[in-house]
Amino acid sequence: MTATDRSIELIRTAAQAAADKLAHDIIAYDVSDVLSITDAFLLASAPNDRQVKSIVDEIEEHLQKELGVKPVRREGDREARWVLLDYVDIVVHVQHSEERVFYALERLWKDCPELDLPADAKATRGKAQEHAKLQAAEDAAEPGGDW
């Protein structure tokens, strides 16, 4: 069994919306062979809670406007560290970068086929690592000491 054309359309639209809001490391997996509850997972991350919320809102807006769908469930909004959007056919995970590293969902789903995504979404691969390096350099450059 493979992800349906509808699921792939939802994934691609959601991935483009996430890329538009500068999400990091966007990737999608066809989980239809191992899960009966959904066809595909989309994973994306952001370096802060505000951006996680912004990405989630953008995904919801694009899927509603372009494809006429709303999530049946939205979880994790309050803290915005890991927000899950359940569209039945697909499940979208938008995580804070720290949660993304800690939970490493890619390890869990690495045996599932990766779904092809729009070029903008593919271009986000490695952005979390780049951001972490830049942040570390900025933190190291800040003068320490007393106020």
Side-chain angles (χ1 to χ4, degrees):
M1 191 173 194
T2 59
T4 65
D5 290 342
R6 177 67 171 167
S7 297
I8 292 169
E9 181 182 31
L10 291 167
I11 285 287
R12 288 186 177 150
T13 301
Q16 183 62 54
D20 290 348
K21 283 295 182 178
L22 307 177
H24 295 168
D25 300 316
I26 302 168
I27 192 166
Y29 294 101
D30 179 341
V31 296
S32 61
D33 283 342
V34 293
L35 292 176
S36 60
I37 58 171
T38 192
D39 281 349
F41 280 167
L42 179 73
L43 311 176
S45 55
N48 61 62
D49 302 350
R50 179 180 282 164
Q51 192 173 358
V52 167
K53 285 182 179 184
S54 177
I55 293 165
V56 168
D57 290 344
E58 188 77 359
I59 290 170
E60 270 194 286
E61 185 177 320
H62 275 258
L63 288 174
Q64 170 65 39
K65 282 183 179 177
E66 295 175 28
L67 302 175
V69 296
K70 292 182 179 181
V72 295
R73 191 172 76 224
R74 180 175 173 157
E75 295 184 9
D77 253 353
R78 184 170 294 166
E79 291 153 13
R81 300 290 292 183
W82 181 348
V83 179
L84 180 142
L85 297 173
D86 183 352
Y87 286 91
V88 181
D89 293 328
I90 69 165
V91 176
V92 177
H93 300 267
V94 182
Q95 298 175 296
H96 188 287
S97 298
E98 292 170 1
E99 265 66 18
R100 180 83 178 259
V101 170
F102 183 79
Y103 290 101
L105 295 179
E106 289 91 340
R107 272 199 333 250
L108 292 174
W109 305 110
K110 69 180 181 216
D111 294 333
C112 295
E114 224 179 283
L115 293 172
D116 190 38
L117 298 176
D120 290 345
K122 288 180 188 177
T124 67
R125 304 280 171 88
K127 293 289 184 187
Q129 203 168 32
E130 285 177 31
H131 180 78
K133 285 179 185 176
L134 287 172
Q135 190 63 48
E138 286 176 15
D139 292 347
E142 285 183 10
D146 299 312
W147 291 93

